[in-house]
Amino acid sequence: MAQQETRAVGGYSGGQKWLHWLMAALILTLIPVGFIMTGMAEGGARNRIYELHKSFGMIVFVLAVMRVALRTARGAPPLPASLPDWQRAVAHASHLALYGLIVLVPVLGFVGTSMCCSPVKLFGLVTVPIALPGGMETAKTILAAHGWAVLLMAAILLAHVAGALMHAVVLRDGVFQRMLPGGK
Ligand code: HEM
Ligand code: HEM
């Protein structure tokens, strides 16, 4: 019953699915790397990891903008009618929060960095031509907000992944499969 409804309204586009998994891989790597790098001793290795963190973080920002545009233009398949209202509400609220955070987190990282440490470079090659006033003190506050926003995102992601696994293993209602490439 639930699967028929899911199929009847179509599913995520290939672009939405590939963006979801590409961004999941990037974000789930950036989070631990971010916490590890801030604890490293000053030096070349730390600097190289910071540069990679910023570059991949800016890529996440570009992908996030594409993803929000795609989602706004194309929409998403509704959840199965068999799901209780509260689960539907939690799913919608958490997806909305994740869409907001995949834009906000890299923006805070970029704004903080360009205040204290411009120019920001993409993989050491392309200079991002934006330098913001504010100085080190404001930058520290904004980078702290970057860290807090990541913690909020990580907490929502724990629930998100648990929910996805519940659909895949317990409910088996097609909600997990419809986000897989090739899945309906
Ligand atoms: C192993 C990690 C992950 C798994 C297993 C997973 C699984 C899923 C699944 C199955 C859906 C489809 C839900 C539905 O159709 O209603 C989904 C949707 C979504 N996921 Fe993930 N996800 C993961 C990581 C992430 C990450 C890291 C992010 C971003 C921070 C993310 C953001 C989203 C968003 C925003 C949606 C809603 C899509 C929409 O309806 O427009 N996911 N995820
Ligand atoms: C979705 C993308 C991103 C994620 C998931 C992420 C994640 C993180 C995490 C977990 C930390 C450690 C926070 C802490 O220790 O308090 C961190 C720190 C940092 N991030 Fe990001 N980040 C992202 C994007 C960016 C971007 C785009 C930039 C800059 C262009 C950036 C610049 C920084 C900097 C400079 C720090 C160190 C802050 C400090 O030394 O206190 N991040 N990031």
Side-chain angles (χ1 to χ4, degrees), residues 77-143:
L79 287 164
S82 53
L83 273 195
D85 283 349
W86 73 267
Q87 282 186 24
R88 200 184 298 278
V90 169
H92 285 150
S94 60
H95 291 169
L96 192 64
L98 287 176
Y99 276 122
L101 286 164
I102 56 178
V103 175
L104 181 70
V105 165
V107 165
L108 288 172
F110 178 82
V111 169
T113 308
S114 64
M115 279 179 174
C116 69
C117 322
S118 65
V120 182
K121 286 191 170 181
L122 193 62
F123 298 110
L125 298 171
V126 184
T127 302
V128 183
I130 301 173
L132 297 169
M136 186 55 91
E137 282 314 303
T138 319
K140 274 187 186 163
T141 309
I142 291 179
L143 287 173

XYZ file of all heavy atoms in Angstrom, residues 77-143:
486
model
N 8.856 13.405 -3.296
C 7.697 12.516 -3.156
C 7.147 12.559 -1.728
O 7.933 12.676 -0.788
C 8.285 11.135 -3.467
C 9.747 11.271 -3.222
C 10.116 12.685 -3.489
N 5.815 12.513 -1.580
C 5.260 12.524 -0.215
C 5.576 11.239 0.530
O 5.818 10.200 -0.099
C 3.752 12.677 -0.440
C 3.509 12.214 -1.824
C 4.770 12.419 -2.605
N 5.563 11.331 1.854
C 5.808 10.128 2.656
C 4.581 9.223 2.605
O 3.471 9.686 2.336
C 6.110 10.542 4.101
C 7.490 11.158 4.281
C 7.579 11.898 5.608
C 8.575 10.086 4.201
N 4.769 7.921 2.861
C 3.627 7.005 2.833
C 2.527 7.442 3.803
O 2.827 7.904 4.908
C 4.227 5.669 3.285
C 5.688 5.790 3.094
C 6.033 7.243 3.189
N 1.266 7.284 3.397
C 0.131 7.686 4.233
C 0.084 6.885 5.529
O -0.525 7.309 6.510
C -1.162 7.507 3.448
N 0.740 5.725 5.544
C 0.713 4.869 6.734
C 1.522 5.457 7.897
O 1.375 5.020 9.034
C 1.286 3.492 6.379
O 2.560 3.650 5.774
N 2.360 6.451 7.615
C 3.194 7.019 8.701
C 2.353 7.915 9.604
O 1.550 8.707 9.115
C 4.312 7.883 8.110
C 5.628 7.243 7.706
C 6.667 8.326 7.511
C 6.108 6.219 8.724
N 2.529 7.816 10.934
C 1.795 8.708 11.842
C 2.150 10.176 11.571
O 3.260 10.466 11.119
C 2.289 8.301 13.232
C 3.145 7.105 13.069
C 3.410 6.880 11.626
N 1.191 11.061 11.876
C 1.390 12.495 11.602
C 2.652 13.040 12.250
O 3.362 13.849 11.678
C 0.179 13.303 12.107
C -0.992 13.149 11.148
O -0.772 12.612 10.035
O -2.108 13.541 11.516
N 2.946 12.591 13.502
C 4.105 13.166 14.192
C 5.404 12.805 13.474
O 6.326 13.607 13.391
C 4.128 12.769 15.674
C 4.495 11.330 15.944
C 3.642 10.289 16.089
C 5.827 10.793 16.088
N 4.343 9.119 16.307
C 5.689 9.395 16.329
C 7.105 11.331 16.064
C 6.780 8.549 16.516
C 8.196 10.488 16.249
C 8.029 9.125 16.470
N 5.464 11.604 12.905
C 6.686 11.211 12.187
C 6.836 12.010 10.894
O 7.926 12.394 10.494
C 6.646 9.719 11.854
C 6.977 8.864 13.051
C 7.075 7.381 12.703
O 7.328 7.004 11.573
N 6.857 6.536 13.689
N 5.686 12.255 10.255
C 5.693 13.079 9.045
C 6.195 14.490 9.382
O 7.020 15.057 8.679
C 4.237 13.145 8.564
C 4.017 13.523 7.139
C 2.507 13.607 6.927
N 1.895 12.304 7.161
C 1.870 11.357 6.225
N 2.377 11.582 5.055
N 1.318 10.195 6.485
N 5.684 15.042 10.516
C 6.073 16.398 10.921
C 7.569 16.460 11.264
O 8.284 17.383 10.863
C 5.230 16.847 12.121
N 8.040 15.431 11.997
C 9.465 15.406 12.373
C 10.334 15.303 11.120
O 11.360 15.979 10.986
C 9.750 14.230 13.342
C 11.243 14.017 13.530
C 9.089 14.483 14.702
N 9.915 14.456 10.169
C 10.699 14.292 8.932
C 10.768 15.620 8.177
O 11.850 16.056 7.767
C 10.080 13.209 8.055
N 9.623 16.294 8.032
C 9.626 17.553 7.280
C 10.471 18.607 7.976
O 11.269 19.297 7.337
C 8.187 18.058 7.078
C 7.446 17.287 6.046
N 6.085 17.097 6.071
C 7.887 16.616 4.953
C 5.716 16.347 5.036
N 6.787 16.038 4.351
N 10.290 18.719 9.299
C 11.046 19.747 10.042
C 12.541 19.464 9.965
O 13.356 20.376 9.762
C 10.578 19.784 11.504
N 12.932 18.175 10.090
C 14.370 17.885 10.083
C 14.961 18.074 8.686
O 16.084 18.555 8.540
C 14.642 16.476 10.617
O 13.986 15.524 9.824
N 14.194 17.758 7.638
C 14.707 17.987 6.279
C 14.893 19.484 6.024
O 15.892 19.907 5.449
C 13.769 17.381 5.231
C 13.763 15.885 5.233
N 12.856 15.121 4.545
C 14.581 14.998 5.868
C 13.108 13.835 4.734
N 14.142 13.740 5.547
N 13.891 20.261 6.505
C 13.986 21.727 6.332
C 15.220 22.258 7.071
O 15.994 23.063 6.531
C 12.713 22.378 6.893
C 12.489 23.845 6.556
C 12.302 24.017 5.046
C 11.251 24.379 7.289
N 15.409 21.775 8.303
C 16.564 22.223 9.092
C 17.871 21.831 8.397
O 18.815 22.626 8.331
C 16.502 21.612 10.496
N 17.925 20.612 7.847
C 19.159 20.175 7.168
C 19.422 21.021 5.924
O 20.564 21.397 5.650
C 19.085 18.689 6.815
C 19.216 17.720 7.995
C 19.028 16.277 7.531
C 20.576 17.862 8.684
N 18.349 21.339 5.172
C 18.547 22.202 4.004
C 19.109 23.560 4.431
O 19.989 24.117 3.768
C 17.235 22.398 3.234
C 16.938 21.288 2.249
C 15.776 20.540 2.315
C 17.840 20.995 1.236
C 15.499 19.522 1.411
C 17.586 19.978 0.317
C 16.414 19.250 0.415
O 16.170 18.244 -0.488
N 18.574 24.095 5.539
C 19.080 25.387 6.023
C 20.539 25.278 6.465
O 21.383 26.123 6.125
N 20.851 24.194 7.179
C 22.203 24.066 7.755
C 23.274 23.768 6.709
O 24.419 24.195 6.867
C 22.186 22.978 8.843
C 21.503 23.420 10.145
C 21.157 22.216 11.019
C 22.376 24.400 10.920
N 22.917 23.076 5.619
C 23.963 22.810 4.610
C 24.350 24.100 3.878
O 25.392 24.163 3.247
C 23.577 21.690 3.593
C 22.263 21.992 2.884
C 23.569 20.336 4.266
C 21.865 20.947 1.836
N 23.497 25.129 3.981
C 23.875 26.445 3.445
C 24.559 27.266 4.543
O 25.630 27.851 4.334
C 22.628 27.191 2.907
C 23.004 28.599 2.456
C 22.008 26.420 1.735
N 23.946 27.292 5.727
C 24.445 28.165 6.810
C 25.850 27.775 7.294
O 26.710 28.647 7.498
C 23.461 28.126 7.993
C 23.843 29.005 9.184
C 23.693 30.491 8.819
C 22.984 28.680 10.408
N 26.091 26.470 7.474
C 27.384 26.029 8.035
C 28.563 26.499 7.179
O 29.483 27.151 7.682
C 27.395 24.490 8.262
C 28.803 23.965 8.474
C 26.512 24.133 9.461
N 28.569 26.228 5.848
C 29.702 26.726 5.059
C 29.751 28.248 4.977
O 30.847 28.817 4.914
C 29.502 26.090 3.677
C 28.144 25.513 3.652
C 27.699 25.323 5.061
N 28.583 28.913 4.998
C 28.596 30.391 4.942
C 29.299 30.936 6.187
O 30.163 31.816 6.097
C 27.155 30.957 4.813
C 27.133 32.446 5.129
C 26.623 30.726 3.399
N 28.967 30.392 7.365
C 29.620 30.867 8.597
C 31.118 30.592 8.545
O 31.933 31.437 8.945
C 28.996 30.185 9.830
C 27.576 30.634 10.209
C 27.026 29.743 11.323
C 27.536 32.089 10.637
N 31.501 29.408 8.036
C 32.926 29.075 7.915
C 33.628 30.062 6.999
O 34.701 30.583 7.323
N 32.984 30.364 5.870
C 33.603 31.272 4.897
C 33.681 32.700 5.438
O 34.723 33.366 5.330
C 32.829 31.259 3.568
C 33.409 32.215 2.581
C 34.520 31.846 1.830
C 32.900 33.494 2.437
C 35.097 32.745 0.943
C 33.478 34.401 1.562
C 34.575 34.024 0.806
N 32.591 33.164 6.038
C 32.564 34.549 6.539
C 33.638 34.724 7.622
O 34.425 35.677 7.593
C 31.152 34.926 7.074
C 31.179 36.245 7.828
C 30.157 35.009 5.921
N 33.694 33.773 8.563
C 34.709 33.860 9.622
C 36.111 33.873 9.042
O 36.957 34.694 9.403
N 36.360 32.954 8.089
C 37.705 32.848 7.514
C 38.073 34.102 6.729
O 39.203 34.593 6.817
C 37.779 31.626 6.561
O 37.311 30.487 7.253
C 39.204 31.375 6.125
N 37.118 34.640 5.968
C 37.480 35.791 5.139
C 37.637 37.049 5.987
O 38.205 38.028 5.529
C 36.475 35.992 4.002
O 35.237 36.288 4.536
N 37.130 37.027 7.235
C 37.362 38.171 8.131
C 38.776 38.158 8.721
O 39.423 39.183 8.843
C 36.357 38.152 9.280
C 35.020 38.709 8.897
S 33.931 38.605 10.311
C 32.519 39.480 9.656
N 39.205 36.952 9.106
C 40.511 36.893 9.784
C 41.649 36.585 8.847
O 42.775 37.014 9.054
C 40.499 35.849 10.904
S 40.400 34.151 10.311
N 41.334 35.818 7.778
C 42.455 35.174 7.090
C 42.315 35.198 5.573
O 42.647 34.211 4.914
C 42.580 33.727 7.551
S 42.254 33.469 9.302
N 41.799 36.298 5.019
C 41.658 36.330 3.565
C 43.039 36.537 2.921
O 43.948 37.049 3.585
C 40.690 37.439 3.144
O 41.229 38.682 3.490
N 43.297 36.159 1.680
C 42.282 35.599 0.792
C 42.045 34.109 1.046
O 42.968 33.379 1.381
C 42.899 35.799 -0.599
C 44.373 35.721 -0.362
C 44.605 36.282 1.004
N 40.757 33.718 0.868
C 40.425 32.302 0.945
C 40.662 31.718 -0.447
O 40.247 32.306 -1.453
C 38.947 32.119 1.359
C 38.621 30.635 1.494
C 38.658 32.845 2.660
N 41.372 30.589 -0.490
C 41.684 29.995 -1.796
C 41.051 28.630 -1.931
O 40.951 27.886 -0.956
C 43.192 29.858 -1.962
C 43.877 31.182 -2.219
C 45.309 30.945 -2.650
C 45.928 32.246 -3.149
N 47.301 32.033 -3.594
N 40.649 28.319 -3.168
C 40.077 27.007 -3.460
C 41.219 26.097 -3.901
O 41.816 26.318 -4.964
C 39.025 27.145 -4.563
C 38.094 25.960 -4.811
C 37.241 25.645 -3.593
C 37.201 26.241 -6.016
N 41.556 25.115 -3.078
C 42.646 24.168 -3.341
C 43.954 24.888 -3.691
O 44.736 24.407 -4.512
C 42.257 23.174 -4.448
C 41.074 22.330 -4.063
C 39.844 22.503 -4.694
C 41.159 21.390 -3.044
C 38.740 21.740 -4.320
C 40.068 20.626 -2.671
C 38.858 20.797 -3.301
N 44.164 26.053 -3.096
C 45.401 26.802 -3.304
C 45.525 27.397 -4.698
O 46.548 27.991 -5.033
N 44.498 27.267 -5.508
C 44.611 27.671 -6.916
C 43.814 28.933 -7.230
O 44.336 29.895 -7.779
C 44.108 26.535 -7.836
C 44.872 25.222 -7.766
C 44.149 24.133 -8.548
C 46.276 25.424 -8.327
N 42.529 28.913 -6.870
C 41.644 30.018 -7.240
C 41.361 30.872 -6.004
O 40.913 30.353 -4.980
C 40.301 29.472 -7.791
C 39.405 30.615 -8.272
C 40.551 28.462 -8.890
N 41.647 32.153 -6.102
C 41.372 33.047 -4.978
C 39.914 33.483 -5.027
O 39.427 33.928 -6.059
C 42.267 34.303 -5.070
O 43.620 33.860 -5.066
C 42.029 35.238 -3.897
N 39.219 33.318 -3.892
C 37.833 33.795 -3.829
C 37.901 35.299 -3.547
O 38.421 35.721 -2.518
C 37.043 33.068 -2.700
C 35.591 33.503 -2.695
C 37.144 31.552 -2.880
N 37.393 36.120 -4.480
C 37.625 37.566 -4.373
C 36.683 38.259 -3.376
O 36.025 39.228 -3.709
C 37.373 38.055 -5.807
C 36.372 37.092 -6.355
C 36.583 35.776 -5.652
N 36.611 37.721 -2.155
C 35.758 38.353 -1.136
C 36.566 38.442 0.155
O 37.028 37.425 0.669
C 34.481 37.515 -0.861
C 33.662 37.347 -2.146
C 33.627 38.174 0.218
C 32.478 36.397 -2.001
N 36.778 39.665 0.645
C 37.417 39.855 1.954
C 36.460 40.708 2.775
O 36.024 41.762 2.317
C 38.756 40.554 1.785
N 36.100 40.226 3.960
C 35.107 40.953 4.750
C 35.780 41.664 5.912
O 36.744 41.150 6.491
C 34.056 39.971 5.271
C 33.235 39.264 4.187
C 32.427 38.127 4.778
C 32.310 40.250 3.482
N 35.276 42.864 6.284
C 35.819 43.544 7.451
C 35.349 42.818 8.714
O 34.411 42.037 8.669
C 35.196 44.940 7.357
C 33.940 44.758 6.588
C 34.154 43.592 5.670
N 35.970 43.058 9.826
C 35.506 42.433 11.066
C 36.676 42.094 11.973
O 36.616 42.269 13.178
N 37.759 41.610 11.389
C 38.953 41.318 12.178
C 38.853 40.029 12.967
O 37.853 39.310 12.919
N 39.906 39.750 13.729
C 40.067 38.462 14.405
C 38.988 38.200 15.449
O 38.465 37.086 15.547
C 41.466 38.412 15.040
C 41.813 37.081 15.641
S 41.652 35.710 14.479
C 43.294 35.646 13.797
N 38.612 39.223 16.247
C 37.650 38.980 17.336
C 36.295 38.549 16.788
O 35.703 37.575 17.257
C 37.514 40.237 18.218
C 38.665 40.416 19.195
C 39.018 39.111 19.939
O 38.114 38.548 20.587
O 40.182 38.656 19.862
N 35.773 39.300 15.784
C 34.475 38.940 15.196
C 34.593 37.573 14.512
O 33.668 36.747 14.582
C 34.043 39.998 14.163
O 34.349 41.275 14.682
C 32.565 39.914 13.850
N 35.734 37.353 13.849
C 35.932 36.075 13.161
C 35.831 34.913 14.150
O 35.214 33.881 13.859
C 37.293 36.069 12.462
N 36.433 35.092 15.329
C 36.399 34.021 16.344
C 34.956 33.691 16.718
O 34.579 32.527 16.870
C 37.165 34.460 17.588
C 38.645 34.170 17.511
C 39.296 34.475 18.851
C 40.806 34.337 18.751
N 41.491 34.993 19.854
N 34.136 34.753 16.908
C 32.735 34.540 17.286
C 32.009 33.794 16.171
O 31.236 32.855 16.425
C 32.042 35.910 17.523
O 32.852 36.655 18.402
C 30.651 35.744 18.077
N 32.272 34.193 14.931
C 31.556 33.571 13.813
C 32.022 32.127 13.617
O 31.205 31.230 13.353
C 31.724 34.422 12.536
C 30.937 35.716 12.752
C 31.234 33.684 11.297
C 30.968 36.700 11.671
N 33.311 31.874 13.813
C 33.788 30.485 13.679
C 33.288 29.621 14.833
O 33.064 28.415 14.665
C 35.312 30.448 13.562
C 35.839 30.949 12.202
C 37.362 31.059 12.201
C 35.372 30.058 11.052
